[in-house]
Each structure stands twice: as C-alpha cells, then as structure tokens.
Amino acid sequence: MKHISEGTSEMDVERYTRQMLLPEVGEAGQKKLKKASVLIVGAGGLGSPAALYLAGAGIGKIGIADADKVDLTNLHRQILHQTKNVGKNKAESAKEGLYQLNDEVQVVTYPYRLTPDNISGIISEYDFILDAVDNFETKFLINDACVIAKKPFCHAGILKFQGQAMTYVPGQGPCYRCIFEEIPKPGTVPTCKEVGVIGMTAGILGCIQAMEALKYILGAGNLLVGKMFLFDGLTMESRIAKFPKRSSACRVCGPRSNILDVYDNRDEYL
C-alpha cells in the first residue's frame, strides 16, 4: 500500500485506503473506479445513498439526472439534499452534496427529464446506469434504451417497508421488461406518494444499487443478474427470486422483439 504507481496519488491512497486493503479492490481496482462512469437517473430516495457511496468510493464520473425540485416532504429519505436546498433542482442539489463529500469526483448534471429524444445520447457516455426513479414510464424507458444500447444497469423499487433490486448485463439473463412486461395502467399500482415509504428502505436498496455498480466495474462477486433481491424491513427478511432465462415474449430483448429503438415505443413512455 505504500507504493504509489502512476495514476495514483498520495491523497487517493489515504482517502481510499480501507477499501484498497481488500483484495477485490487494491490499487488496480481503485484505478478502475477512478476511470469509471455511472449515471444515476433519479436523485431521490434511491439515488441519494447510491450517489453518496459511489462518490465516496471514488467513481471518476457520476451523472445525475432529475427534473424535479427538492421538496420538504423528500428530506426524510432523500439524504443527499439539505433543508436549505428546498426549491432547488435535485440534480444541482445532488452535485453540491457530492462535492462536499468528494471534490475529486466529476459530477455531471442533467436537470431535466429523460425522454426518447435524449436518453440514448446520455447513456452512451456511461459505463453503468442506475434506475433510481419512481415512475414506471421512465423505468421502462431506461430498460429499453439500455438493452438496445447494450448498457448494463441496476433497477430498484421501493414501497412502504419493502424493496427490490435486479441487475441487467447485456447477453446475460432477463431484462426488466422480461419480468414486468408492460407499463402498468394509471391507478393500478400504488405509489409512495399514495401509500408512503420508510426512508431506511430507500437507503438499503440505494446502497445495493451502488454495490452492484461497484462490483460490475471491479469484476468482483456475483451480480443480481437473473435474480431479484426482495427485502422486507418489517420482518427483516430478504430472499432472492430467480429468473434465469429471458422471456421469449419480451418486446425488447426477446427473439421476436418489436422495440428496436426507443422511438418505436415513444408514446408509451410519455
């Protein structure tokens, strides 16, 4: 650990020493993290802890996409934001918080909604994507755009005390649409705004998303590919549901897919 090679500063060694002690990281792994880029779509309950831990780990470039403004009702779970930033765009507020933690990280903000018109260009600049949004239209848009562009991503969702997470890697296992098929019709699935959510659930699932991104970049451990992690905070029970195969009926990654470009399905996302 005392040896400092080209591309690793003394500050890097001091800042990241606890994780560089791990054989899965080391100096070589820390360099991978420094060169890596992760896009977080949604700077809310999931995106906040994910962004903080990825910045803390030394990810070189973090993109934050969010069109919403910080609201007082957000703060019990969206821990990246502060009371003074109520009314400020969440992406810009997140950037401020991340630089307070680690000013060595490059933070790029997208203070607007991702749509079929802009998502492909944005995700092309990143190695890994986090779906940290709370609406199904954008979740399906992220999935479809990533599958088409062959980009790995991690999905998470939360409600009340429960949460779930899964990871997609191109050519390995099912995508989000394989499992959930179509965007639910309005009013058929309850939302956090309607039935509530406990902040700690968001923290746990957001941290799992950050862990998945880190493992993918490092090439360490086993990802949640072909698996769904399910967590219940009331019972403190968790389990893994396995989905080992892609759905033959999937409209984006199946053998008879009919979504070949996000423009082909644009009306469903909007």
Side-chain angles (χ1 to χ4, degrees):
M1 293 296 294
K2 292 182 179 179
H3 173 70
I4 301 174
S5 64
E6 184 179 355
T8 305
S9 69
E10 291 185 15
M11 183 177 292
D12 286 342
V13 173
E14 183 174 0
R15 180 186 287 271
Y16 306 117
T17 183
R18 295 298 186 272
Q19 66 187 34
M20 289 175 68
L21 287 169
L22 299 170
E24 294 85 356
V25 183
E27 189 171 340
Q30 195 61 50
K31 288 181 180 179
K32 289 181 180 180
L33 298 179
K34 193 171 185 177
K35 293 178 180 178
S37 57
V38 177
L39 173 67
I40 303 172
V41 187
L46 294 165
S48 287
L52 284 166
Y53 275 104
L54 290 174
I59 296 295
K61 177 183 175 182
I62 298 175
I64 305 285
D66 202 313
D68 292 341
K69 294 180 180 180
V70 179
D71 187 87
L72 193 61
T73 62
N74 301 150
L75 300 182
H76 86 284
R77 66 194 183 282
Q78 300 182 15
I79 58 172
L80 184 50
H81 309 294
Q82 299 180 26
T83 305
K84 67 177 183 178
N85 284 345
V86 168
K88 188 173 185 176
N89 172 263
K90 285 185 182 179
E92 298 300 336
S93 174
K95 180 177 181 178
E96 179 182 315
L98 294 179
Y99 279 150
Q100 289 177 354
L101 174 66
N102 188 350
D103 59 6
E104 296 291 315
V105 173
Q106 178 190 5
V107 181
V108 181
T109 60
Y110 305 92
Y112 44 79
R113 183 182 176 187
L114 295 194
T115 70
D117 297 314
N118 60 30
I119 190 170
S120 298
I122 292 173
I123 67 172
S124 68
E125 300 180 15
Y126 293 88
D127 301 318
F128 196 89
I129 319 297
L130 296 189
D131 158 22
V133 298
D134 60 0
N135 71 85
F136 289 107
E137 291 80 8
T138 306
K139 286 184 178 297
F140 276 84
L141 175 61
I142 293 168
N143 176 83
D144 297 352
C146 286
V147 172
I148 292 168
K150 294 182 171 55
K151 288 284 183 177
F153 75 95
C154 180
H155 148 79
I158 53 174
L159 193 71
K160 298 182 178 179
F161 286 84
Q162 288 79 44
Q164 64 186 39
M166 65 171 285
T167 295
Y168 168 81
V169 174
Q172 302 178 30
C175 72
Y176 180 84
R177 190 180 281 275
C178 285
I179 299 168
F180 296 102
E181 298 183 352
E182 300 293 340
I183 300 171
K185 294 181 179 179
T188 60
V189 179
T191 66
C192 292
K193 187 175 182 178
E194 295 169 336
V195 301
V197 64
I198 199 73
M200 296 76 174
T201 302
I204 291 166
L205 271 297
C207 286
I208 286 173
Q209 288 188 285
M211 182 73 82
E212 289 291 280
L214 206 74
K215 290 189 300 180
Y216 176 81
I217 293 163
L218 293 172
N222 298 314
L223 296 168
L224 289 169
V225 174
K227 297 176 284 187
M228 179 82 75
F229 173 83
L230 302 164
F231 172 77
D232 187 329
L234 284 178
T235 63
M236 293 308 291
E237 293 180 345
S238 64
R239 65 185 180 92
I240 300 287
K242 294 185 178 181
F243 304 94
K245 296 181 180 179
R246 292 182 297 169
S247 169
S248 60
C250 181
R251 293 178 57 209
V252 70
C253 75
R256 292 178 295 276
S257 59
N258 61 3
I259 302 176
L260 306 179
D261 189 288
V262 288
Y263 289 103
D264 298 337
N265 206 42
R266 61 181 295 112
D267 291 341
E268 293 188 31
Y269 307 129
L270 301 175

